């Protein structure tokens, strides 16, 4: 991929002006800054003819990882505001969302930021703003990017980065997704439980017994399912709160070493989210989706997206399917023995994906860096 295409692909290069497309979100007010115009400088110098790109060695390439819901924290974005175009990005988000996302991200309160309807857009925008910081500090990382993956809502940010959808349309889809998932989560008391297990842990059996426990409490059609595969012997289990409480109380029976409730409001990536499917499917039909310019891996199966309809289909299915992150990491970093690993950058709040990568692939993790979004600058290596 040449420099012009790479820079055009990252985050917003294929359209951030919040103009009206097939979707129906609001236009920016008259005279509002056109973010796309602000971004053209990044690619203008490369518009002329270029020689064919030299094939890069694996160690010169990069992979970007985009975090998901649960990584949000008050103050995220503070470490990004000095970089070009970040404030314009948040201004564009204000127009799409109808509220001041930057104010909420910087000052909270945490309870409001943790609500699904707010934290999904907040993580999405902070992650793409972190890409702008990375582009400013190390443009070669963006130019040499060969793959991207995002955890749950982070997959939307990865696709925007890869040029598969425009920033504002991607954010609008996230807005509709978050609202629908918030509504679904309020219909049934549910949540997500992180479980660190052992090779002998009985995840499936534990979920079945937790469902049976719920039936004894009079709960019809109880849900308790593995909703994320994080790294070997570590899963997230989602479902009715009563089921998760049962698992915590009986964790030793199933050889669980540690359990922790996650700061989310519902049993995501399970059948409890079925009411959210139709609103998301409708908005994805309405927006312009393109083939990614770098490889983006799907949460549903770990495979690369191949064409726009593939993206639309799997982004909807992802809402009720387990996030196969461990499998995705294996797909992204699979290589012949002795081949160097690419540099990996986690762009967005928290370092959870780096921690998971360390457990999935220690060699790949040795080339990992995090792009700080909360405080002032840090050097990236």
């Amino acid at each position: 991929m040449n420099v012009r295409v790479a820079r055009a692909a990252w985050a917003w290069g294929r359209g951030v002006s919040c103009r009206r497309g097939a979707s129906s979100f609001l236009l920016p007010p008259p005279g509002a800054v056109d973010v796309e115009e602000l971004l053209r400088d990044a690619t203008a110098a490369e518009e002329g003819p270029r020689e064919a790109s030299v094939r890069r060695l694996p160690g010169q390439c990069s992979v970007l990882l985009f975090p998901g819901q649960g990584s949000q924290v008050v103050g995220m974005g503070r470490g990004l505001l000095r970089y070009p175009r970040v404030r314009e990005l948040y201004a564009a988000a204000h127009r799409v969302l109808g509220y001041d996302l930057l104010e909420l991200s910087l000052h909270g309160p945490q309870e409001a930021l943790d609500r699904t309807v707010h934290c999904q857009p907040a993580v999405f925008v902070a992650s793409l703003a972190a890409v702008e910081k990375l582009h400013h500090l190390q443009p070669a990382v963006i130019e040499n990017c060969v793959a991207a993956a995002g955890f749950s809502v982070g997959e939307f940010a990865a696709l925007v980065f890869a040029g598969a959808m425009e920033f504002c349309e991607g954010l609008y889809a996230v807005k509709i997704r978050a609202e629908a998932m918030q509504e679904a989560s309020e219909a049934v008391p549910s949540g997500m439980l992180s479980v660190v297990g052992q090779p002998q842990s009985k995840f499936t059996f534990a979920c079945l017994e937790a469902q049976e426990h719920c039936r004894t409490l009079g709960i019809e059609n109880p849900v308790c399912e593995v909703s994320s595969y994080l790294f070997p012997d570590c899963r997230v289990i989602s479902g009715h709160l009563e089921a998760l409480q049962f698992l915590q109380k009986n964790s030793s029976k199933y050889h669980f070493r540690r359990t922790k409730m996650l700061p989310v409001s519902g049993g995501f990536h399970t059948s409890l989210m079925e009411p959210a499917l139709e609103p998301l499917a409708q908005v994805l039909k309405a927006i312009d989706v393109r083939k990614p310019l770098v490889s983006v891996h799907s949460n549903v199966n770990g495979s690369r997206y191949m064409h726009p309809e593939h993206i639309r289909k799997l982004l909807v299915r992802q809402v009720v399917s387990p996030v196969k992150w461990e499998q995705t990491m294996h797909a992204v970093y699979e290589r012949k023995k002795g081949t160097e690993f690419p540099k990996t950058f986690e762009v967005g709040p928290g370092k959870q994906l780096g921690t998971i990568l360390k457990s999935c692939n220690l060699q790949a993790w040795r080339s990992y860096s995090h792009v700080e979004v909360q405080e002032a600058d840090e050097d990236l290596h």
Side-chain angles (χ1 to χ4, degrees), residues 65-361:
L65 303 180
F66 294 80
Q69 185 169 348
S71 63
Q72 70 276 357
V73 61
V74 170
M76 64 182 190
R78 186 176 292 117
L80 306 172
L81 295 176
R82 60 176 290 186
Y83 296 96
R85 299 183 291 271
V86 168
R87 288 187 184 273
E88 286 81 358
L89 179 63
Y90 276 100
H94 194 162
R95 295 195 292 273
V96 174
L97 300 171
Y99 61 87
D100 192 340
L101 183 68
L102 180 59
E103 173 67 22
L104 178 61
S105 297
L106 292 179
H107 304 296
Q110 186 71 48
E111 296 78 16
L113 185 61
D114 283 344
R115 295 189 70 222
T116 297
V117 71
H118 295 141
C119 73
Q120 289 190 17
V123 171
F124 171 91
V125 176
S127 294
L128 290 171
V131 173
E132 163 61 18
K133 175 179 177 178
L134 181 59
H135 179 259
H136 182 79
L137 295 177
Q138 292 194 31
V141 171
I142 304 302
E143 294 156 12
N144 296 334
C145 182
V146 294
F151 195 101
S152 192
V153 72
E155 196 166 288
F156 285 80
L159 286 163
V160 169
F161 164 76
M165 57 181 76
E166 295 179 1
F167 168 79
C168 285
E169 294 196 329
L171 177 57
Y172 185 68
V174 168
K175 174 181 183 289
I176 297 302
R177 178 185 191 266
E179 290 171 351
M181 292 175 70
Q182 177 81 45
E183 187 174 343
S185 67
E186 290 172 354
V188 178
S190 59
M192 305 181 77
L193 181 72
S194 174
V195 179
V196 178
Q198 306 174 67
Q200 65 268 38
S201 295
K202 303 173 181 178
F203 292 103
T204 301
F205 179 64
C207 289
L208 290 173
E209 290 211 333
Q211 291 173 19
E212 188 57 39
H213 170 73
C214 288
R215 291 188 187 94
T216 67
L217 300 177
I219 298 174
E220 295 183 10
N221 302 316
V223 173
C224 185
E225 307 167 5
V226 172
S227 59
S228 299
Y229 295 82
L230 300 182
F231 55 86
D233 304 320
C234 183
R235 307 282 187 269
V236 175
I237 296 176
S238 299
H240 283 80
L241 283 180
E242 294 87 348
L244 304 184
Q245 292 162 357
F246 173 84
L247 292 179
Q248 286 189 295
K249 184 178 179 180
N250 297 277
S251 60
S252 60
K253 177 180 179 181
Y254 307 112
H255 304 286
F256 296 163
R257 285 193 291 146
R258 188 168 68 250
T259 62
K260 180 183 178 181
M261 290 296 295
L262 299 182
V264 297
S265 59
F268 303 138
H269 300 289
T270 72
S271 56
L272 290 172
M273 292 296 110
E274 285 183 0
L277 296 180
E278 187 59 24
L280 179 58
Q282 290 302 318
V283 73
L284 289 173
K285 285 180 184 177
I287 68 176
D288 182 21
V289 180
R290 297 169 290 263
K291 183 178 178 179
L293 295 179
V294 299
S295 296
V296 178
H297 291 254
S298 167
N299 287 183
V300 173
N301 54 22
S303 299
R304 290 183 297 163
Y305 283 117
M306 302 307 295
H307 53 79
E309 282 309 309
H310 195 213
I311 294 172
R312 289 189 177 97
K313 180 180 178 181
L314 292 188
L315 282 180
V316 174
R317 192 192 302 174
Q318 185 224 69
V319 174
V320 292
S321 301
V323 174
K324 294 186 176 176
W325 191 254
E326 180 183 349
Q327 296 87 330
T328 298
M329 292 299 92
H330 291 319
V332 170
Y333 295 100
E334 183 181 12
R335 60 205 58 243
K336 294 179 180 178
K337 189 174 181 179
T339 304
E340 280 190 279
F341 285 92
K343 294 183 173 72
T344 297
F345 294 84
E346 184 169 357
V347 281
K351 300 179 181 179
Q352 295 93 327
L353 299 184
T355 300
I356 295 171
L357 178 60
K358 186 177 183 181
S359 296
C360 287
N361 191 321

